[in-house]
Amino acid sequence: MAEPPPRLEIRNIVRAYDGRRVVNDLSLRVMPGQVTCLLGPSGCGKSTTLRIIAGVEMQDSGEIYADGELVCDTVFRVPPEGRSIGMMFQDFALFPHLTVFENVMFGLKGAVAADRSERAQNLLSRVGMAHHAQDYPHQLSGGEQQRVALARALAPRPSIMLMDEPFSGLDNRLRDGIRDETLALLKEEGTAVLLVTHEPAEAMRMADEIALMRNGAIVQQGAPYNLYNAPVDKEAAAFFSDVNVIEGTVKGALTDTPFGQFLVPGVPDGTCVDIVSRPQHIRIDFDRGGRGPDPTTDYGVAARAKVVRARFMGNESLVEFRTECDGTLLKATVPSVFLPAPGTAMWLTLPRARCFVFPKTGEGAEQK
Ligand code: ATP
């Protein structure tokens, strides 16, 4: 059986302001019931992409399809209200002269009155606002208004939902519940969700797929696990957590470091490389009278390092070290409470399978 077309597909979208491309040849597909997060730093073009799909802004080139049907190219254009697209943007606005219940009912024209009412009540319950149904927006807090706006956006069962940081105004206690509830509902209804966020933890929690953006383009796309564990470059690795970076130079497909040699296959001699690791993957061993752990093939050689400072962070402790041989600074996170005194000598090992090696690009990339 042929696979159904993507619920949402954009092809080669370009948008420039004053000659600067803020969306640069961006292509993306979202299948029914799938949540894709556009993740990237401020100003990388996430919101512009969403506005183009919504139809409130025109692309310079490229096409948008919904369920295989052309919605917009540079000649043909379905107006925003003709697209089955729901929107939940940061600057949502409720109708001030309508009650909460009427606001949610607003988008439900056409259906039988009893069904509309049931749907509106059901959605208000799911976002925890049923008891405010007869209130007016000005009687609600910002977070409560946002929950009503969510219910209103979900009400007409759009086949595509665009969300721009939709949960940012909710306090922490509410956010997780409402976020999970909203996404469960959208998945149940087979909606394709494209959600913008600049918070990696939020993207990893919600997304089936993450599209990591930089300078208007997608630099990597895939399941959260893959982006976290197989980043395409140092910046992609650093977007998801703090990282340690050790510099090296390739000789005979290897590079020497205080932690032993790392394999760098296929990279020419003299190339400068960055060896990148996450703080939670550093192994720490106590000093045994000046001796460290025995080297293993998986972990490589241990380097002696002294604690610079240790801080308790709640669920984990962050310990900063300086290697004795060359003064490299490294951060390690350890679950629970681990607060060794500054100056304590320990041994650090970098598990090879958890390190990423990238040839340097840009400044400092020249061969030595
Ligand atoms: P944030 O996370 O801060 O919302 P973003 O990734 O959503 O950022 P966009 O809002 O898409 O980024 O903006 C991308 C770039 O385009 C920014 O540099 C912004 O200044 C620029 N930009 C957006 N809209 C316009 C406009 N109407 N005119 C000129 N430049 C614009």
Side-chain angles (χ1 to χ4, degrees), residues 17-18 20 22 41-49 51 165 198:
Y17 295 116
D18 308 320
R20 184 172 69 95
V22 300
S42 183
C44 72
K46 307 180 296 290
S47 301
T48 307
T49 305
R51 286 201 304 273
E165 313 254 3
H198 62 269

Side-chain angles (χ1 to χ4, degrees), residues 146 150 165-170 175 178-179 182 195 202 206:
Q146 198 172 10
L150 263 177
E165 313 254 3
F167 308 107
S168 57
L170 301 174
R175 187 182 308 161
I178 293 199
R179 182 166 55 189
T182 305
L195 193 149
E202 187 169 65
M206 292 188 294

Side-chain angles (χ1 to χ4, degrees), residues 1 5 22 44 52-53 61 99 109 145 158 176 187 194 218 224 226 235 238 240-241 259 261 280 296 323 354 364:
M1 214 169 65
V22 300
C44 72
I52 289 170
I53 299 169
S61 60
T99 63
K109 302 254 153 52
Q145 289 184 32
D176 291 350
K187 274 182 174 289
L194 188 59
I218 294 174
N226 293 342
E235 290 71 27
F240 288 92
S241 77
F259 301 92
Q261 292 186 316
Q280 70 268 36
T296 66
T323 57
R354 297 292 206 163

